[in-house]
Amino acid sequence: DTGVSQDPRHKITKRGQNVTFRCDPISEHNRLYWYRQTLGQGPEFLTYFQNEAQLEKSRLLSDRFSAERPKGSFSTLEIQRTEQGDSAMYLCASSLAAAYNEQFFGPGTRLTVL
Amino acid sequence: AQSVTQLDSHVSVSEGTPVLLRCNYSSSYSPSLFWYVQHPNKGLQLLLKYTSAATLVKGINGFEAEFKKSETSFHLTKPSAHMSDAAEYFCVVSRLTGANNLFFGTGTRLTVIP
């Protein structure tokens, strides 16, 4: 399978708990993006990496959110002290740097915070 | 700054009739424009992209879109709707070059009536 994969696909947690999501991009893609999609809305950009460097972060990414891409391959997105407002679909995408930003999306991780 | 306005939140057509999904964009830079489709419980799939070459862009499944700079529009069309076209469609703008993220519209839900 050469697509973008995300794990887990679904996560239910209680308010105040920490959660971590993983994204594996297409192997030759050096850019990796995280987006958040709430019900009835389009995806909103959170952050992106070029190789292992985190180059941009949205204001949506509060201090409780942290993302890493330690070896320039897979990435993790951690949310600390989850709140009900964090409930959303978290999408990962990857692209080549010189490909007019054509991004390939994974299936997403749906987070429900009770 | 970049933004996208999808003029219809919901479009309903009969099977076999034409589809028109409207999109207007705003961009401070030369834009790349995309249409993505999202089927229920599936990931976002790229339908087509405009990257400053031909203004009429053909995509998958018979869809096409025309970039009109004077009208800042990038409407999506298909001559004949199929039941399998029922989905959520997102118009997306990005910068043509440079490091950046995608800006999504709020989506248009397409319903196809048998």
Side-chain angles (χ1 to χ4, degrees):
Chain A
D1 184 10
T2 58
V4 177
S5 62
Q6 293 186 247
D7 183 71
R9 295 290 305 276
H10 302 273
K11 179 71 176 179
I12 300 173
T13 191
K14 293 183 178 179
R15 190 174 50 188
Q17 298 296 305
N18 299 344
V19 295
T20 300
F21 310 140
R22 177 180 169 124
C23 171
D24 287 88
I26 294 171
S27 58
E28 63 268 27
H29 286 183
N30 52 0
R31 287 188 182 172
L32 186 149
Y33 304 78
W34 285 99
Y35 293 83
R36 181 173 68 187
Q37 185 177 20
T38 54
L39 202 61
Q41 299 297 316
E44 295 173 293
F45 169 76
L46 292 178
T47 188
Y48 101 93
F49 293 84
Q50 180 151 319
N51 300 315
E52 65 275 10
Q54 188 173 18
L55 296 186
E56 189 173 344
K57 292 195 292 186
S58 163
R59 286 174 296 176
L60 292 175
L61 211 67
S62 76
D63 291 344
R64 296 185 297 105
F65 288 70
S66 63
E68 294 183 342
R69 194 183 183 196
K71 297 182 180 180
S73 56
F74 72 91
S75 175
T76 57
L77 177 69
E78 181 183 16
I79 309 174
Q80 296 182 327
R81 304 182 302 283
T82 52
E83 302 173 356
Q84 287 186 324
D86 297 331
S87 296
M89 177 75 85
Y90 289 84
L91 297 168
C92 177
S94 69
S95 75
L96 291 169
Y100 302 111
N101 295 304
E102 178 179 343
Q103 296 178 21
F104 295 82
F105 283 81
T109 295
R110 182 169 295 283
L111 173 65
T112 302
V113 182
L114 302 176
Chain B
Q2 292 137 293
S3 67
V4 165
T5 301
Q6 291 187 244
L7 298 164
D8 306 293
S9 59
H10 188 203
V11 170
S12 184
V13 300
S14 297
E15 189 176 16
T17 65
V19 175
L20 170 64
L21 305 183
R22 299 182 294 165
C23 171
N24 286 103
Y25 71 91
S26 173
S27 179
S28 305
Y29 309 96
S30 295
S32 291
L33 291 159
F34 308 82
W35 277 96
Y36 279 83
V37 61
Q38 189 173 39
H39 291 273
N41 300 316
K42 291 191 176 180
L44 286 158
Q45 181 184 19
L46 180 67
L47 275 181
L48 50 79
K49 63 182 179 183
Y50 165 77
T51 56
S52 81
T55 56
L56 182 62
V57 180
K58 293 187 184 299
I60 61 172
N61 300 333
F63 284 94
E64 61 181 40
E66 186 172 6
F67 173 70
K68 292 187 176 181
K69 186 175 180 179
S70 61
E71 299 176 10
T72 61
S73 69
F74 191 58
H75 301 332
L76 181 70
T77 61
K78 182 174 181 177
S80 175
H82 190 273
M83 294 299 295
S84 61
D85 294 328
E88 189 86 18
Y89 291 80
F90 293 96
C91 183
V92 182
V93 66
S94 179
R95 283 175 61 171
L96 183 60
T97 58
N100 52 68
N101 47 290
L102 302 179
F103 293 87
F104 284 76
T106 51
T108 298
R109 179 167 299 280
L110 176 66
T111 298
V112 182
I113 303 167

